[in-house]
Amino acid sequence: RNMPSRKEIENMFLVFHGQGWVAGAEEVRRDDGMWHIELEDGPWKFDDAYRRGSDWSCGYTKLFYEGELVLFMSYGGFYSKEARAFLKETLREQYEGLVFLGGRGPRTRRASGLSYHNVLQASDEFCVTGREEIYRDSDHHLELNEPLGFHEYMVVVFPS
């Protein structure tokens, strides 16, 4: 059986995410209480699921190739309403550019008076962990500001 490479897996993850939440894809509420976006393309299946309570959220993404799990991502944290549109725009740009940095956004992005930061905390051949944060843009040092939101995430890839 010919399994995809890590690069092929990461690219399909980005392609599917670009067609998912950031593109306003249909979300289906399942018995597990989570909202799911499920997409398919040939041998690939994608399940992006999340649960949100006010500003707090958690979720996971599972990517399958010929029925076998090849990528799993989990995340959790909060984003204020003020930061969500900026987050969606930041992730959409990253996914459309097919740039994989832990499956989230770029290292930094500034626009609309907001600032996005993605810090990869650990990375090896199979696992990436990190934290993304959004702040109001200012001249102050970031640690002095309260973030408008963050997610901590972990991605595990199972290449051939």
Side-chain angles (χ1 to χ4, degrees):
R1 180 169 170 176
N2 195 10
M3 294 298 285
S5 68
R6 178 177 177 156
K7 184 69 177 161
E8 290 170 313
I9 293 168
E10 290 173 351
N11 279 348
M12 285 307 295
F13 173 92
L14 295 166
V15 167
F16 278 127
H17 265 293
Q19 299 167 4
W21 177 71
V22 300
E26 180 186 359
E27 301 170 340
V28 178
R29 182 95 187 229
R30 297 274 181 236
D31 291 342
D32 61 6
M34 298 181 80
W35 291 94
H36 290 256
I37 297 172
E38 297 166 331
L39 303 169
E40 289 186 40
D41 184 5
W44 298 93
K45 286 188 180 177
F46 172 87
D47 179 18
D48 188 34
Y50 73 92
R51 176 96 189 240
R52 188 170 71 225
S54 66
D55 293 340
W56 290 91
S57 62
C58 66
Y60 65 81
T61 300
K62 295 189 283 189
L63 181 62
F64 297 88
Y65 181 81
E66 294 182 349
E68 189 170 323
L69 183 68
V70 293
L71 182 146
F72 179 85
M73 173 189 211
S74 63
Y75 64 87
F78 84 95
Y79 275 104
S80 66
K81 187 171 181 163
E82 176 184 357
R84 285 185 212 138
F86 178 68
L87 174 66
K88 187 178 271 195
E89 180 184 308
T90 299
L91 295 178
R92 183 182 49 74
E93 285 182 8
Q94 188 77 359
Y95 299 151
E96 288 175 357
L98 295 180
V99 178
F100 188 90
L101 280 176
R104 300 304 285 175
R107 294 207 186 276
T108 60
R109 178 177 183 261
R110 287 187 152 91
S112 311
L114 298 176
S115 182
Y116 173 95
H117 301 270
N118 181 11
V119 178
L120 299 181
Q121 296 170 334
S123 180
D124 69 17
E125 187 179 354
F126 302 110
C127 185
V128 178
T129 61
R131 179 181 171 101
E132 64 180 6
E133 299 176 335
I134 293 177
Y135 292 88
R136 273 189 201 86
D137 230 349
S138 73
D139 295 332
H140 301 294
H141 198 259
L142 285 180
E143 282 72 28
L144 299 177
N145 294 331
E146 283 293 312
L148 296 174
F150 75 91
H151 272 151
E152 293 189 348
Y153 61 87
M154 177 201 66
V155 182
V156 181
V157 181
F158 303 96
S160 56

